[in-house]
Amino acid sequence: MTKASVYVTRMIPEDNIEELRKHFAVEVNQEDRALSKEELKEKLKGKHAVISLLTDTIDSEVLDAAGPQLKIVANYAVGFNNFDLAAATERNVILTNTPGVLDESTATLTFTLLLSMARRIPEANKFLRDGKWQGWAPMFFIGLDVDKKTLGVAGLGRIGKNVARKAKGFDMKIIYTDVCRNEEFEKQVGATFVDKETLLKESDFLTLHVPLIPETHHYIGEKELKMMKKTAVLINASRGPVVDEIALVKALQEKEIWGAGLDVFEEEPRIAPGLSDLDNVVIVPHIASATMDTRLKMGAIAVDNIIKVLKGQMPVTCVNPEVLKK
Ligand SMILES: NC(=O)c1ccc[n+]([C@@H]2O[C@H](COP(=O)([O-])OP(=O)(O)OC[C@H]3O[C@@H](n4cnc5c(N)ncnc54)[C@H](O)[C@@H]3O)[C@@H](O)[C@H]2O)c1
């Protein structure tokens, strides 16, 4: 019997590919770059399953090019704003993501950005490497305290909660906003639910963990930045378009806020003009989940979903559950 075929749009850990090969005919994009839309359409033609990345837009055009045999597209990410959910449901294609296994690494990177910005680590590191250090000085590279400061969490989901728990180690006061309140977590960790305006006004460090959906596009823009403290730091390891990057560059240039730490950008891999010239921002290229353990676990979920669906079983992490009711 011919094996079902799976396409993997970018190299992922070999262990994950090996697992797939035990069951299916597997083709992997060997070039270390995202595929263009035309290439994606061509490569997906006739495939039964796909492991996709955030850089792959899975919409009606791509699904139609793939053909009616396509059963599942498993995103190698927890976010799935690259999926057209309705188009896939209409075509009976199951879509999955990889929640839960990257909370720790993403929250750790979030905290790394927070600490790096507070203590001006990249700037100080560059200064020393550039041979500019003349010796210890009392008013030199003055940063911000983190201990006992107020951490504001926008979106208290899996990652937001993990960041809040880490903040307890710094004795931080935790406030959060979300579309739903979590009283159990409030009791466990000592967090306080506030509205968005209070979050903006009271946070010393404001960290964003909302998904990218129409309601959260430019969740932080010019108006919100003006409401924040002049000494506040904004951290974004959610999705780039959650922040209006042009407005952020302006706010940082005009010192409306103290600084920012960014893992994600509106037009990746491009970043807004002026951003990289600023000292009061720490920028890293979307590496929040980039640890080998995390990447293996993300791959394992995607592979497991594909095995289950192609065997006619239920996937573990479906993001368009309406398709399962059909
Ligand atoms: N930088 C990275 O590499 C990286 C890695 C993992 C996840 N992410 C991003 O982080 C996001 C969060 O991941 P998660 O696993 O914690 O998701 P999650 O679904 O567990 O949590 C999201 C939270 O945001 C809340 N929310 C939704 N809309 C909101 C709104 N308008 N206002 C306030 N709160 C709102 C939800 O109720 C939920 O509690 C993902 O959607 C993904 O885009 C980025």
Side-chain angles (χ1 to χ4, degrees):
M1 205 173 83
T2 1
K3 283 181 171 178
S5 57
V6 180
Y7 189 75
V8 183
T9 67
R10 191 93 181 245
M11 199 59 206
I12 61 172
E14 194 51 44
D15 288 9
N16 299 138
I17 303 288
E18 277 310 306
E19 189 56 33
L20 273 180
R21 286 198 205 282
K22 287 182 194 163
H23 307 265
F24 312 113
V26 183
E27 191 188 337
V28 183
N29 171 21
Q30 295 296 338
E31 292 187 52
D32 196 16
R33 62 173 179 85
L35 297 174
S36 68
K37 184 133 189 186
E38 286 312 309
E39 289 171 320
L40 195 60
K41 283 162 63 181
E42 185 55 37
K43 290 292 185 187
L44 265 51
K45 210 170 277 174
K47 300 294 187 297
H48 298 93
V50 179
I51 293 190
S52 61
L53 265 60
L54 275 176
T55 40
D56 304 317
T57 301
I58 305 295
D59 57 12
S60 51
E61 202 183 326
V62 170
L63 293 166
D64 286 341
Q69 77 300 325
L70 181 67
K71 296 277 180 295
I72 171 169
V73 182
N75 228 24
Y76 189 70
V78 64
F80 49 88
N81 44 289
N82 55 315
F83 283 162
D84 182 337
L85 299 179
T89 304
E90 202 182 306
R91 289 161 181 76
N92 296 317
V93 176
I94 293 171
L95 302 173
T96 63
N97 67 341
T98 65
V101 293
L102 35 60
D103 307 351
E104 288 169 3
S105 50
T106 304
T108 298
L109 192 276
T110 299
F111 233 87
T112 307
L113 290 173
L114 187 158
L115 294 172
S116 302
M117 193 57 237
R119 300 307 301 270
R120 302 170 62 181
I121 298 300
E123 203 188 338
N125 178 57
K126 181 166 188 317
F127 182 87
L128 184 52
R129 285 170 187 265
D130 288 349
K132 293 182 180 164
W133 194 26
Q134 302 289 321
W136 194 88
M139 296 308 289
F140 187 52
F141 279 107
I142 300 293
L144 296 173
D145 279 315
V146 173
D147 292 70
K148 301 184 179 60
K149 296 292 176 178
T150 299
L151 176 76
V153 180
L156 193 81
R158 290 171 292 250
I159 297 168
K161 280 190 215 138
N162 198 300
V163 173
R165 284 196 201 95
K166 287 179 171 39
K168 289 313 280 182
F170 286 88
D171 234 349
M172 294 178 91
K173 177 184 169 192
I174 313 226
I175 58 176
Y176 77 97
T177 199
D178 200 298
V179 284
C180 38
R181 197 174 158 181
N182 186 337
E183 292 184 45
E184 198 186 321
F185 188 81
E186 287 173 29
K187 275 187 224 134
Q188 271 171 19
V189 175
T192 306
F193 180 79
V194 295
D195 59 21
K196 184 177 174 185
E197 191 176 329
T198 309
L199 191 85
L200 292 165
K201 287 183 174 162
E202 293 189 1
S203 297
D204 294 310
F205 298 90
L206 173 57
T207 185
L208 308 175
H209 301 289
V210 292
L212 175 61
I213 49 177
E215 297 79 3
T216 58
H217 182 262
H218 286 186
Y219 183 85
I220 300 292
E222 190 183 347
K223 181 177 101 201
E224 288 77 15
L225 288 159
K226 283 195 194 313
M227 289 165 81
M228 290 174 67
K229 293 181 184 178
K230 286 228 175 309
T231 50
V233 172
L234 176 72
I235 307 294
N236 187 15
S238 62
R239 283 288 177 267
V242 169
V243 175
D244 178 344
E245 213 168 291
I246 303 285
L248 176 62
V249 170
K250 191 161 171 274
L252 290 167
Q253 283 167 339
E254 294 173 3
K255 308 263 187 301
E256 272 172 19
I257 61 170
W258 199 81
L262 307 173
D263 178 52
V264 288
F265 304 88
E266 273 203 85
E267 306 275 348
E268 294 177 9
R270 278 177 285 129
I271 61 173
L275 194 60
S276 59
D277 300 329
L278 295 166
D279 279 335
N280 53 348
V281 64
V282 181
I283 46 177
V284 294
H286 204 148
I287 57 168
S289 67
T291 69
M292 192 45 94
D293 272 3
T294 299
R295 291 287 155 90
L296 280 166
K297 287 179 191 162
M298 289 163 67
I301 294 184
V303 169
D304 186 43
N305 279 321
I306 288 177
I307 293 172
K308 286 202 161 70
V309 168
L310 293 188
K311 279 186 178 167
Q313 298 166 5
M314 287 288 175
V316 188
T317 58
C318 182
V319 296
N320 60 336
E322 307 74 40
V323 78
L324 304 174
K325 295 176 202 144
K326 287 173 94 181

